[in-house]
Structures are given as structure tokens and as C-alpha cells.
Amino acid sequence: MGLQRLDKVLADLGIGSRKELKELIRAGRVRIDGMVCLKPEQKLDPERQTLTLDGKELGYKGLRYFMMDKPAGVVTATEDRSQKTVLDLLPEELRRLGLFPVGRLDKDTSGLLLLTNDGDFAHRVISPKSCVEKRYYADIDGDVTEEDAAAFAAGLTLRDGTQCLPAGLERLGAGKCLVTVTEGKYHQVKRMLASRGKPVLALRRLSIGTLVLDEGLGPGGLRELDEMDLCKLFSGEIGEN
Ligand code: URA
């Protein structure tokens, strides 16, 4: 990686905007190898030198992980010619991190979406071999029955012949249910419920593994994940990946 400007290293870490970083540095809050550095243009090797902000070490984390409460109406993509994407919702300082969405939620689906720049991690979350459970809340036209739940548990065959892995279906009340799947086929939950004659009216992802969407984030809200959160993603994992 070699030598880089201090303000660029801090910006890459998503600490703040260039202007905010200049102020932090000029206020003497940043140290390189224990020495206060007042120059934003100072060069350092972030992989070899120790960087602190207010005495707290900033590990040079190239790999970053976030949860977003994806609002309905934006597409799960890194770019799109005409439609707003989930990346358009990121604050300026996080746009340079090379984040991409882990898996896909439909444009009209809301809820828990992971964003990262770690391709191996994304693959592990998405792969059905990892058996990571994704749980959705659905409003449906109709009401689920015990027969529907049994069909989900046995592994549904969709209308086009696609075979699904066994999945969970729980009735919450009239026209409301929870669906738990370990794979992510195209429009999977909608197609599963449609195959039982219960079209989805609204869909929201609530959790992945035992990592639950922070409902306090609000539509488009974002929170960085820590190690505990990452462990929760794979805590129910069984088998090899
Ligand atoms: N299943 C769907 O049908 N849509 C989603 O967005 C996610 C899962």
C-alpha cells in the first residue's frame, strides 16, 4: 500500500468529510506513532504505522460491514442509470469504500440489507451452503394455513418447477406471516407465497442469522457492524461453506 496522505487514510476509514478531518487534525486530535500530527498532507504507511484519534487506535480496516434499513422504492444495485440505488443513500465519506450490497432485496422490499467491501464475506452470507437464515415479515392477500406451513417445511416446488429448500412459515394474524429461508432465489419469498395462492402485498426483511434489523435506524439509516454482530450472522450456521 505504501505511503499515503493522512487525510486520505482517515477519509478511507470513513471518519468524516475532508473538511471535518482537516479540523480534527489541526485540533491536534490525531497522532501517528504517538506523535501529534497537525498536517493533513503528512504521509504515512497505514499498514505499518499506528494511527490514533483522541487516543483511540484506528485499526487500518480495509474491510467494512454495515447494516442498512433499506427503504422500499430504491434498487439494490451499485449503480443505475435512472433509479436511485442503495449506494446513493450512503453519506459522502462512505462512498469511497467500495461497498456493495450483500444479496438483493427487490425494489419494493424494505428492511435489513448488509453492505460490505468484503467479497468472501458476502459469498458466505448468500451461499445456501452456509444455511444462514433470512427472516421476512410479509403482508399477504389471504391467510396462511397449517397446510401452507407444512408445504414450506417439506420444500416447495414453485409454479415454474423450481425446487426450494425447506423453509419456515409462521402465521402472525390475518394476512400477516413470517417466512424463514436459507437461500435467495429471484423473488423467492413472493414466489413461494404466490405458489400457495397468497400474493405478497408488502415484504420486509427482519433478520439474517441472529442479526436483527435495528428498527431505530429508520428508512435508509445505516449502522456499522462490530465483531459481535458479524458472529451473529453465522451463529446458526451448520455444515461446510
Ligand atoms: N424474496 C422476495 O421475493 N423478494 C425479496 O426482496 C427478498 C426475498
Side-chain angles (χ1 to χ4, degrees):
M1 178 170 287
L3 293 178
Q4 293 190 37
R5 281 176 62 118
L6 175 59
D7 54 358
K8 175 168 190 316
V9 172
L10 292 171
D12 287 348
L13 287 166
I15 305 291
S17 66
R18 282 282 169 126
K19 185 164 171 275
E20 287 164 344
L21 295 176
K22 261 194 187 117
E23 282 164 14
L24 287 181
I25 296 166
R26 298 236 157 93
R29 294 169 61 189
V30 178
R31 290 175 184 246
I32 302 173
D33 292 335
M35 303 285 287
V36 172
C37 178
L38 299 172
K39 294 188 200 150
E41 69 278 11
Q42 174 69 46
K43 294 271 174 69
L44 78 148
D45 182 343
E47 283 181 337
R48 289 168 209 276
Q49 293 181 273
T50 307
L51 196 56
T52 57
L53 171 64
D54 296 334
K56 238 180 95 186
E57 190 168 335
L58 303 170
Y60 192 75
K61 298 183 286 178
L63 300 177
R64 308 283 295 268
Y65 311 88
F66 296 86
M67 72 156 69
M68 176 186 277
D69 184 346
K70 176 196 171 294
V74 293
V75 293
T76 309
T78 50
E79 53 187 8
D80 192 281
R81 279 210 197 140
S82 55
Q83 304 186 80
K84 197 169 190 176
T85 73
V86 289
L87 288 200
D88 294 329
L89 303 178
L90 295 180
E92 188 59 39
E93 65 272 16
L94 298 184
R95 293 206 184 158
R96 68 189 91 228
L97 297 179
L99 298 174
F100 57 86
V102 177
R104 197 174 162 279
L105 290 178
D106 297 335
K107 185 174 174 186
D108 59 358
T109 299
S110 67
L112 177 57
L113 182 69
L114 301 177
L115 295 160
T116 186
N117 51 9
D118 181 346
D120 292 340
F121 164 85
H123 174 73
R124 193 166 161 215
V125 174
I126 296 165
S127 169
K129 286 193 200 150
S130 300
C131 288
V132 175
E133 290 188 338
K134 288 104 188 165
R135 176 161 295 179
Y136 296 83
Y137 167 84
D139 283 323
I140 53 171
D141 183 5
D143 213 351
V144 296
T145 61
E146 283 181 16
E147 291 74 48
D148 294 328
F152 269 53
L156 280 177
T157 306
L158 301 180
R159 285 173 178 161
D160 65 357
T162 303
Q163 186 62 44
C164 297
L165 291 171
L169 177 63
E170 193 184 323
R171 184 181 183 277
L172 291 180
K176 297 178 196 309
C177 63
L178 283 179
V179 176
T180 307
V181 293
T182 54
E183 53 187 345
K185 297 186 198 301
Y186 183 65
H187 292 330
Q188 177 151 0
V189 173
K190 291 175 186 164
R191 287 158 74 210
M192 288 169 89
L193 284 161
S195 78
R196 301 293 305 174
K198 321 277 156 83
V200 168
L201 304 175
L203 192 61
R204 180 165 175 78
R205 183 153 66 192
L206 303 179
S207 61
I208 300 178
T210 57
L211 180 69
V212 177
L213 174 66
D214 183 343
E215 291 286 352
L217 292 177
L222 198 71
R223 156 163 104 65
E224 184 150 21
L225 301 181
D226 59 24
E227 296 230 341
M228 286 272 283
D229 293 318
L230 296 179
C231 287
K232 285 182 188 166
L233 286 168
F234 302 109
S235 57
E237 193 178 313
I238 41 175
E240 288 292 297
N241 58 63

